[in-house]
Amino acid sequence: MSWSGSELAAFRKVLARLAFEHPIEVIPLGDEIGSAFTAGGKSAPDIVMLPQAGQVRALAEAGKIRSIPGDPWTDTDGPRYPELWRQLLHHKGKTFALPFKAAEKSLVWYDRESIEHYKLGAPADWTIADWRDRTEVLSNTPIRLLALGAADGWVLTDVFENVLLAESPRTYDDLVAHPTERSWQRPAVRAAFGHLATLWGQPRAFPGSAAVALTRQFPDAIRDVFQHRRAAMVIAPDFAEPIVRAGLRAAGRKEDVVGIASFPSVGPGAQRPRIVGGDVMVVTTPASPVAERVVAALAAPQAPVPWIEEDGGFIAPNLRTEARYSALMEPIVRAQSAWSAFDLSDQLGAIGGRNGLWRILTDFLIEVGDHANEDADEAIDRAIAALDGFERGLR
């Protein structure tokens, strides 16, 4: 699994409550989750908590995972999971993975006090152009509009994916649907990079500078908003919740200062992106029969309740799960049916990872950050050429 820190501790609580007959060894792999499918002998895991659901079909084709027996996807009331998951986790009529943890990737967390103090209006009504305008409004104040944990490449891919989906759902889908013919030379991709250049290229867009943002990790960006109050908002999935609460406690602030809005659209009346990601359970081909029983137990509707109710930052994809979600999370959970797309980078394979989209977006931020959009067109050309070049190297 890729979890660490508080998420790993929360998962251990889930396992403890299930009281398995045999001990279960948990091995955190971080960003090296792919090594779970190349390990051999005693080091080979039976179950992988995979954060790239889009890779399930490829793993099934390669014979690295086996199907889950029975009909785990439905019960007498119908599907237990939203349709968006089924499209990724079924192959040739069989179920090869079950969702365990969902993640809403199109959330913007903001500090109500900062927004109100500087009379910025309602973030829920903003477009991407409004973000640029608010960045300028705050440029001569002690606070910046946006905190960005750019040291974690997945943070940058989340931002890019939301902008691209807002710009063109069709292009977003096409990039996934035609992997052998994929080209990044598309108007919507160029427009998405243009939006990023406009946002990231504003002087004083981030606390400190773009260079400082490149040293900030995901939790740092959350704390910059709710603990240190260096920024008014941060783009972050639902699993930011425990970090938000910790920051508030450290600063002696109350929860009612927290606001959550959807990622903005590209213009008035346009569609807002709603992207979901998450972690799915797969059983490796050489696994023992015990693995299937463990997956079945973790897939039970009430299995994740300890994580939901005691730690937070967890959305159960199982539609039968009944739990007391926090006041912050409950509206997000209710809106699962509105999720319109799955995380793009998780479906792209190698190009969506550390050496592909992560690196290219990092280089792009270095080029355009703090430069008031100077030479943005050239930076966009280089980013798109790098994506196409990476694709050619994979073929």
Side-chain angles (χ1 to χ4, degrees), residues 17 36 43 57 74 80 90 136 153 173 183 185 199 341 346:
R17 296 287 179 87
S43 61
R57 290 185 176 182
T74 60
R80 294 168 57 192
H90 279 68
E136 294 176 355
D173 291 342
S183 170
Q185 297 284 350
L199 295 174
D346 286 353

Side-chain angles (χ1 to χ4, degrees), residues 64 105 147 215 224:
K64 294 184 180 296
K105 295 294 198 90
T215 70
D224 273 344

Side-chain angles (χ1 to χ4, degrees), residues 104-116:
E104 160 71 274
K105 295 294 198 90
S106 300
L107 301 178
V108 180
W109 300 68
Y110 62 93
D111 182 342
R112 293 182 186 274
E113 290 183 346
S114 296
I115 295 292
E116 292 170 5

Side-chain angles (χ1 to χ4, degrees), residues 373-386:
N373 305 313
E374 296 175 8
D375 301 323
D377 287 341
E378 294 181 12
I380 293 169
D381 288 341
R382 283 189 285 272
I384 293 175

